[in-house]
């Protein structure tokens, strides 16, 4: 290896592997844990868009994973085991979403099967994946405590960045980013658009997205913009897939 091999890379030779793919994250605590009333309309709207848009659908873990974190913390288990156990919850949710979307020719792929992504997307099949990042036992230890910092928001973001996807859309039960948790503070102010560096500098106590996603966006090559959308409002998913500004856009530019 020469000294030139370790110099900063400006991105001139990078290839977008899946430039037409849209990565969509279905929040578990915000949507899946609500049950049929929230999940069925989202599934139907995604299915209706599958013919026009290539979809990679990542699935969160939700409340059950938080229960697991609480239990494993009390048992003194290490970060890597916590991450491995939490990934199982996301896998279960992915199986349920894949079953519900089977009528739209959806397929569920494990990370070891990602080489099949181009074929499945070209065939018009939405692809369902676990949102858990690939670290598992090798989860980077956090600076404080033992709870994994890279969770399902981070996992789907890594997919969008690694494959050079067209968009990264997070489906939540809130309109987007606020200065505080709007469920707890009715005076919280909605933020329609913000740069990731500005958001990090503000250091809000409550965020609708994992902080690790923001840290990764600073160094992103492709996934330099994400959108957070309220999927409980009919039509929002379709509008976001069509490129409209629906909720909050966080950008690494500017």
């Amino acid at each position: 290896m020469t000294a030139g091999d370790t110099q900063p890379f400006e991105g001139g030779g990078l290839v977008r592997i899946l430039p037409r793919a849209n990565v969509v994250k279905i929040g578990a605590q915000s949507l899946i844990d609500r049950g049929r009333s929230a999940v069925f309309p989202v599934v139907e709207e995604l299915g209706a868009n599958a013919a026009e848009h290539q979809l990679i659908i990542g699935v969160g873990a939700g409340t059950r994973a938080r229960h697991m974190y609480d239990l494993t913390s009390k048992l003194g288990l290490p970060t890597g085991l916590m991450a491995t156990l939490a990934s199982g919850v996301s896998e279960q949710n992915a199986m349920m979403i894949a079953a519900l979307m089977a009528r739209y020719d959806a397929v569920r792929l494990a990370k070891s099967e990602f080489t099949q992504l181009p074929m499945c997307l070209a065939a018009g099949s939405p692809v369902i994946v676990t949102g858990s990042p690939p670290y598992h036992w090798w989860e980077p230890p956090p600076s404080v405590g033992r709870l994994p910092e890279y969770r399902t928001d981070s996992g789907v973001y890594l997919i969008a960045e690694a494959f050079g996807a067209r968009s990264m859309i997070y489906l939540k039960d809130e309109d987007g980013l606020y200065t505080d948790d709007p469920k707890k503070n009715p005076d919280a102010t909605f933020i329609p658009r913000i740069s990731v560096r500005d958001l990090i500098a503000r250091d809000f106590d409550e965020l609708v997205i994992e902080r690790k996603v923001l840290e990764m966006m600073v160094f992103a090559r492709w996934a330099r913009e994400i959108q957070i959308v309220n999927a409980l409002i009919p039509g929002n998913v379709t509008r976001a897939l069509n490129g409209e500004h629906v909720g909050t856009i966080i950008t690494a530019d500017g």
Side-chain angles (χ1 to χ4, degrees), residues 132-244:
S132 298
Y135 303 125
H136 301 300
W137 289 101
W138 300 271
E139 170 78 19
S143 57
V144 178
R146 294 192 309 277
L147 291 180
E149 293 182 305
Y150 293 90
R151 302 183 190 181
T152 53
D153 283 349
S154 299
V156 292
Y157 178 81
L158 284 168
I159 293 172
E161 169 65 11
F163 288 102
R166 171 178 175 261
S167 67
M168 176 69 251
I169 302 169
Y170 290 90
L171 305 186
K172 304 281 188 175
D173 61 351
E174 299 174 3
D175 292 335
L177 176 69
Y178 286 80
T179 55
D180 198 2
D181 186 346
K183 296 185 180 74
K184 302 175 183 176
N185 180 7
D187 296 324
T189 302
F190 176 67
I191 302 174
R193 187 180 187 94
I194 191 172
S195 74
V196 69
R197 292 184 185 275
D198 186 12
L199 182 53
I200 292 173
R202 294 195 188 191
D203 194 24
F204 293 136
D205 291 334
E206 297 282 352
L207 285 176
V208 71
I209 195 159
E210 292 168 18
R211 296 180 191 274
K212 282 299 180 183
V213 173
L214 308 180
E215 295 176 14
M216 290 189 287
M217 285 186 69
V218 173
F219 303 100
R221 306 296 185 187
W222 297 124
R224 297 185 59 80
E225 181 176 290
I226 64 176
Q227 183 163 195
I228 303 164
V229 174
N230 188 342
L232 296 177
I233 299 177
N236 270 0
V237 175
T238 300
R239 292 172 59 200
L241 287 170
N242 289 336
E244 295 184 40

Side-chain angles (χ1 to χ4, degrees), residues 11-85:
L14 286 179
V15 175
R16 296 184 84 116
I17 299 175
L18 298 173
R20 292 184 294 147
N22 301 275
V23 181
V24 180
K25 159 70 184 305
I26 301 179
Q29 189 173 39
S30 53
L31 296 171
I32 295 176
D33 290 350
R34 289 173 177 263
R36 183 188 186 108
S37 62
V39 173
F40 275 41
V42 171
V43 164
E44 290 170 1
E45 190 164 358
L46 287 170
N49 279 277
E52 184 176 353
H53 297 287
Q54 292 186 351
L55 299 176
I56 301 174
I57 302 169
V59 182
T63 302
R64 286 180 294 144
R66 285 161 175 80
H67 290 165
M68 185 277 302
Y69 287 138
D70 180 60
L71 177 60
T72 52
S73 293
K74 292 175 180 177
L75 293 173
L77 299 180
T79 300
L81 180 53
M82 288 185 178
T84 302
L85 293 172

Side-chain angles (χ1 to χ4, degrees), residues 1-8:
M1 179 179 291
T2 66
D5 293 328
T6 61
Q7 298 303 307

